[in-house]
Structures are given as structure tokens and as C-alpha cells.
Amino acid sequence: VALQARFQDRMDAVGLMCAVLLCTAVVHAKPTVRKDRVLYQDPEVLRQATNENNNSFQYDHEVFLGKEESKTFDQLTPEESKDRLSKIVDRIDADGNGYITTDELKAWIKRVQKRYVYENVAKVWADYDLNKDNKISWEEYKQATYGYYLSNPEEFDETTDQFSFKKMLPRDERRFGKADLDGDGAADREEFTSFLHPEEFEHMKDIVVLETLEDIDKNGDGHVDEDEYIADMFAHGDEGPEPEWVKTEREQFSDFRDLNKDGKMDADEIRHWIMPQDYDHAQAEARHLVYESDKDKDQTLTKEEILDNWNMFVGSQATNYGEDLTRNHDEL
């Protein structure tokens, strides 16, 4: 149980273990689950895909606040949320002129994302730095994560847990080697951060692409065909016609995913799909927030405009469902 818990912590720490950042339930067709492997979702695409403001608002909250702080805001009343948001706005307004620009919002969103990544590493560092030398060797990581499994493989179900550990161990070792830039067999803070969050580091993005390919490529031919692409994001709960969004995704595959029109995606096409080079998620989210909140259409936001649209920035799902404040919270 302890090993499984640690393994789950590793999965949570990576966050993007299989280059999956977002899983959303689609209103059409109850027996299906839709999974999107795009690293940073466009908020407008998300809104159109879900047809649910609550889902897209939750994405806004996590991007604007960070995942952990978003959970904190879920416990606040509207009045408390607005009060804390007011203080956040003062911090975003870098030049102190009373107006929030798209660039200032973009800088804030990037800061929040970076903070989440490094705080996440700090939270788990002591679990892996077993000899307290401020580095984490591959052997330390392997022992902390897989030690019990390696010593007691007979205790694991061959078809479930054991298969997961067998699959993840060599993948982790390969990823660790990629993160270990100086090749000394140990990761400093920055190298370990790139190991746990490879999507945030340019030199690690080939690993993200490779792991995505391996996850989806069920026939092992080194490519992702249309059926594998669909099977990764759509699972039939019973026999019946495909939902309309699945038909649309098939068209997306042929029109936009399969760039060389050979009927399948190679590694370069997968990279273009999950990490489009011409797309800046922080810029897109900042523009989205400005567009939705800019009442006078002057391309900037005042504190009043932001507070008037507080629900988009920090609105609490828990409060919306009538839950009470359960604890006090410090300012961001």
C-alpha cells in the first residue's frame, strides 16, 4: 500500500505523466470519456468542446491561480474571494497605473505556472533525497519509488499493478537520463524539476512526445493511425453510433493532425499536435480573460472590471453549491 501511495504521488508530481493535462466529460453520450493530450488548452476551444461554463471557468481558475490555490479558493465565500482577488490585482499591475494589460496578465499566468512547478518539486524533494546531499541519484529515486516492488514482486497482481510498475520503471530511467544533463547519475533541483515536469523544459519535450507516442501506439508500429488516435480519447461504453464530437475529431485527424497525409502521425506530427510551436497558452488565456471582462473595450482591465467578473478569475465551485467557509486562508 505504501509503495502504491508513493507511486501515485509520483504520478501526481509529474502531472503530465503521459502528456495528459486535461480530461473533460462531454455532455453528448454518457458512456464516453474524452481525453485531450494538448499540453495547454485554448480556453475558447475548451468552452466550445464542453458547452459548459463551469468546466471552462475551472480551467481559468487553475491557470490564473495555480491548481493548489484554486482548491483553496473553492472554500471561500464570494466576498472573501473578491477581497483576495483585489489584492492579487494590485500585484499583477506591475507599473501601478491602475490598468491591467494583456502582457501583465500573461506575465502573472507564467509566474503562477512556474511557482506551481517548483513548489511541487520542493514538496516531494525530501522523499527522494535519501542521503540528504541535496541531489537525487537514480538509485535513490528507484529505491524510493520502486524499492518495495523490486524486493517483493510476488505481492503484485501480474495483470494490474505489476504491469504498471514494469512499464514505468524503464520509462522513468530513460526520462531521468534525459534530465541528467551533466551525466553524473544524480539530479540537482533543476534537473529533477525537468524530470518531474518535462513539458516545461525544451530539452525534455522529445521525451513527452515519445511517451505520448508509446501510450497511443497500440500496434507498436511507431506511428499513430486514426483509430488509435480516436481510441485514446474515446471509449465506447456500449455499442452504438459515435457522438458527433468523435466524427469531428476524425476530420481533425485527417485535416490537421496527419500533416503529410500518409494516414498516420509520426513523432513530428505528434509534437505539432500536443505542443504547437505557434501557440502561447499564457498569451491565449490572458487575451481570453481580457476579452471576457473588458466592458469598455479599451483592451485593458481595471480592478472594477475584474471584480465584476470575479467568477471567471477565482469563482468558487464549492461556494456555488452552497458550501460554507471552513478555514482561513493567507494571501497569495
Side-chain angles (χ1 to χ4, degrees):
V1 173
L3 176 58
Q4 289 173 324
R6 187 180 294 277
F7 185 71
Q8 185 58 51
D9 287 343
R10 185 268 193 265
M11 296 287 283
D12 292 341
V14 173
L16 202 62
M17 172 59 63
C18 301
V20 179
L21 221 166
L22 180 66
C23 293
T24 55
V26 177
V27 178
H28 315 292
K30 292 181 181 178
T32 68
V33 174
R34 180 175 183 167
K35 180 165 57 182
D36 195 337
R37 290 183 179 269
V38 178
L39 295 191
Y40 297 106
Q41 185 63 279
D42 187 314
E44 203 50 48
V45 171
L46 174 63
R47 184 182 300 277
Q48 294 170 7
T50 62
N51 290 320
E52 289 287 337
N53 282 346
N54 283 345
N55 286 341
S56 56
F57 274 8
Q58 186 60 30
Y59 177 75
D60 292 330
H61 302 163
E62 291 182 359
V63 174
F64 183 75
L65 296 168
K67 289 187 178 182
E68 293 303 315
E69 197 64 26
S70 178
K71 294 176 184 177
T72 298
F73 268 80
D74 280 351
Q75 305 301 318
L76 299 177
T77 66
E79 291 73 21
E80 288 166 324
S81 289
K82 290 177 184 178
D83 180 63
R84 292 190 67 188
L85 177 58
S86 176
K87 295 173 183 177
I88 292 172
V89 172
D90 291 337
R91 297 175 64 186
I92 298 173
D93 184 12
D95 57 13
N97 69 352
Y99 295 92
I100 304 298
T101 65
T102 300
D103 285 343
E104 286 173 325
L105 265 178
K106 174 184 173 180
W108 170 261
I109 290 168
K110 286 185 176 293
R111 174 184 174 182
V112 166
Q113 175 64 20
K114 185 175 181 179
R115 184 189 66 201
Y116 164 75
V117 166
Y118 284 94
E119 285 180 352
N120 175 260
V121 172
K123 184 170 62 175
V124 302
W125 181 266
D127 293 335
Y128 299 113
D129 183 14
L130 302 180
N131 64 5
K132 309 305 176 187
D133 66 347
N134 209 32
K135 280 194 169 187
I136 296 172
S137 69
W138 166 246
E139 288 303 318
E140 283 179 309
Y141 178 81
K142 183 173 70 171
Q143 183 61 35
T145 306
Y146 299 100
Y148 187 82
Y149 161 68
L150 293 172
S151 300
N152 305 275
E154 69 282 353
E155 293 187 20
F156 294 83
D157 187 328
E158 178 67 34
T159 60
T160 55
D161 294 332
Q162 190 173 107
F163 175 77
S164 296
F165 286 118
K166 280 184 176 179
K167 179 180 178 181
M168 290 307 302
L169 179 54
R171 279 175 59 145
D172 272 359
E173 186 171 14
R174 181 181 63 192
R175 185 192 284 194
F176 195 95
K178 185 73 172 179
D180 180 19
L181 290 177
D182 60 11
D184 66 351
D188 59 21
R189 292 264 178 171
E190 191 74 3
E191 289 171 330
F192 196 64
T193 301
S194 72
F195 169 68
L196 290 184
H197 297 274
E199 72 282 358
E200 298 296 331
F201 293 81
E202 189 61 38
H203 71 280
M204 296 295 291
K205 289 185 177 178
D206 284 345
I207 285 289
V208 176
V209 172
L210 178 58
E211 291 178 3
T212 303
L213 173 59
E214 290 174 342
D215 288 336
I216 307 176
D217 176 24
K218 300 305 181 185
N219 64 12
D221 68 351
H223 295 82
V224 173
D225 60 34
E226 181 180 316
D227 288 338
E228 289 169 330
Y229 172 78
I230 295 299
D232 180 61
M233 66 176 67
F234 170 75
H236 280 282
D238 54 17
E239 295 301 323
E242 291 181 342
E244 284 300 317
W245 70 262
V246 175
K247 297 178 182 178
T248 300
E249 283 295 340
R250 290 190 182 279
E251 295 172 359
Q252 290 282 317
F253 182 89
S254 60
D255 293 343
F256 301 108
R257 308 287 180 245
D258 178 19
L259 299 177
N260 63 7
K261 308 306 176 188
D262 65 352
K264 54 192 176 184
M265 284 195 293
D266 57 24
D268 288 338
E269 288 167 324
I270 289 173
R271 175 187 281 268
H272 187 271
W273 165 39
I274 66 174
M275 297 182 289
Q277 293 183 356
D278 57 351
Y279 177 72
D280 184 329
H281 79 98
Q283 179 80 11
E285 179 66 17
R287 287 175 175 171
H288 165 69
L289 292 172
V290 170
Y291 176 81
E292 294 292 341
S293 306
D294 182 18
K295 288 184 177 180
D296 59 11
K297 304 304 177 186
D298 66 350
Q299 305 302 311
T300 63
L301 298 180
T302 62
K303 180 181 289 189
E304 181 182 7
E305 286 175 320
I306 292 175
L307 293 179
D308 283 346
N309 204 16
W310 71 277
N311 189 58
M312 171 166 286
F313 289 84
V314 300
S316 165
Q317 286 187 329
T319 298
N320 290 344
Y321 287 104
E323 295 186 15
D324 296 327
L325 175 67
T326 60
R327 54 196 171 101
N328 294 324
H329 304 274
D330 297 327
E331 180 184 346
L332 266 174

